[in-house]
Amino acid sequence: MARPRQLLVGALTGAVFLGMASPAIAAPGDTITFSDSRLADSGGLAADPDRSVYWLVNPTDGGTGSVAAIHPDGSPAGTVSFDASPSRVESLSYVNGRLYVGDIGAARGDRSAISVYRLEALDYGTSAPFTQWTLDYPDGPHDALAMMVSPRGNVWIVTKGDPGGFYYAPAPADSGEYELIWESEAPSWVTDGVFIDPTTVVLRTYNSVLRLDMTLYTVTAQEAAPEQPQGESVTTSLDGAGLLLGSRNEPLLIKAEMPTTMQPLDPAPSIPPASATPTPSPTPTAPTAESGSPASNGGQPSSAITALGIAALISAAAAALVYWRAQPSSRGPARRRHSGG
């Protein structure tokens, strides 16, 4: 049986290693860095589990349509072009073997009609046949960064605003012009989204990741997003178990878990953090328990707080050791319009 002194020394050692262990809230996950830095401006991202690649797209501003695929290690897999001249591509979705390209952006919010291209083949180095739809907003012009395609093939657009709006076109088939249907208000300043099952989506903003029930349009989980200069893309991981988050002006993707808790969050900003002018604070203060605001490092405890925790553990163990020595040696042990996506 271990002697009391040995138990206390073990407790002291355990306290030190406990203090050195990783905090309970994990840091942002691993990253995928692009071998081709030209993809750093990508605002669209889609997982393709059939080819084990991720598709990316840069805004085209009137150029020829093109998408690029990367392997999970960030190395190039290939490119596919399509014979069109999109205006402002902002989002991608991969569903049932086909890639949807969302030409939906409007920096001045002045587009009353948008275009979606469905690439019917994805052979690297070729020009893909495609189906094109023109989708008209029923209530005037908007800007949008988020397009999602449900497993049923319905095309969803989430417009930017405070609040935004959910619009959809029921599974268009042939090329042509269709009117979008307004369904519900959406969270403010959404920058991308993805279906994770027929009735659930994950949306992202510049500072958060949200999980929504699309039968009721309600947020069921929300968590802080890792810091990115201009976080405008999200997709599932290739195995569907997690998420991958991308940013314009940054040549990497960040892995993250699906949101499962309702964290208190600051309101989503309308502009990327990289565009905001920070106001210096002469005396930085930690968030109060009442505020619930996530820390600037993604919600992790600061190094100072961690150090204080280590010191407290060591002090407690040391005090216990002193107390034991002072005792006699004889001391004993102490609302929905249609069903889903």
Side-chain angles (χ1 to χ4, degrees):
M1 179 179 295
R3 294 175 59 82
R5 182 186 301 272
Q6 293 171 320
L7 290 173
L8 285 170
V9 170
L12 180 60
T13 304
V16 172
F17 280 96
L18 178 62
M20 294 173 62
S22 299
I25 301 176
D30 295 337
T31 60
I32 297 174
T33 301
F34 307 150
S35 300
D36 185 349
S37 61
R38 291 174 296 179
L39 295 173
D41 196 35
S42 175
L45 178 64
D48 177 348
D50 296 324
R51 295 169 183 78
S52 295
V53 298
Y54 294 100
W55 292 98
L56 301 104
V57 64
N58 286 354
T60 51
D61 291 321
T64 301
S66 179
V67 293
I70 61 169
H71 295 295
D73 64 358
S75 62
T79 60
V80 175
S81 62
F82 56 102
D83 188 16
S85 298
S87 172
R88 188 75 178 176
V89 175
E90 293 287 0
S91 190
L92 296 174
S93 289
Y94 182 85
V95 177
N96 298 327
R98 294 182 283 194
L99 188 68
Y100 294 72
V101 180
D103 178 14
I104 61 176
R108 294 183 298 274
D110 56 357
R111 289 184 71 175
S112 57
I114 57 177
S115 294
V116 174
Y117 304 88
R118 185 180 66 194
L119 307 191
E120 308 295 347
L122 294 168
D123 299 319
Y124 301 143
T126 67
S127 180
F130 63 90
T131 302
Q132 178 182 355
W133 304 299
T134 299
L135 305 178
D136 299 315
Y137 289 111
D139 52 1
H142 293 280
D143 183 19
L145 299 180
M147 175 195 71
M148 307 175 293
V149 180
S150 76
R152 299 177 180 178
N154 295 335
V155 176
W156 291 81
I157 306 297
V158 187
T159 55
K160 289 181 67 180
D162 186 15
F166 283 115
Y167 297 78
Y168 89 109
D174 299 329
S175 291
E177 187 168 1
Y178 300 83
E179 183 170 285
L180 288 162
I181 300 169
W182 182 89
E183 272 292 296
S184 173
E185 290 186 349
S188 300
W189 311 117
V190 170
T191 61
D192 203 9
V194 61
F195 272 88
I196 60 174
D197 64 44
T199 61
T200 310
V201 301
V202 167
L203 303 179
R204 74 158 302 165
T205 71
Y206 289 123
N207 71 341
S208 62
V209 182
L210 315 173
R211 186 178 184 130
L212 276 81
D213 177 350
M214 290 294 282
T215 65
L216 299 172
Y217 302 109
T218 55
V219 176
T220 58
Q222 60 180 32
E223 296 178 6
E227 288 188 5
Q228 295 177 294
Q230 194 169 338
E232 292 188 0
S233 57
V234 62
T235 191
T236 57
S237 55
L238 291 175
D239 63 5
L243 299 172
L244 210 59
L245 305 172
S247 172
R248 298 275 293 276
N249 306 313
E250 188 173 47
L252 58 83
L253 306 173
I254 300 177
K255 297 178 182 179
E257 295 182 353
M258 295 283 183
T260 57
T261 62
M262 287 293 292
Q263 291 183 359
L265 299 173
D266 292 332
S270 61
I271 59 174
S275 301
T277 303
T279 303
S281 174
T283 309
T285 56
T288 64
E290 290 79 9
S291 70
S293 300
S296 62
N297 61 356
Q300 299 182 75
S302 69
S303 58
I305 294 174
T306 303
L308 287 173
I310 296 171
L313 288 168
I314 294 173
S315 297
L321 181 59
V322 171
Y323 174 80
W324 176 82
R325 287 177 172 173
Q327 303 307 304
S329 58
S330 60
R331 176 185 39 78
R335 177 184 80 206
R336 180 60 174 159
R337 287 184 175 85
H338 57 83
S339 57

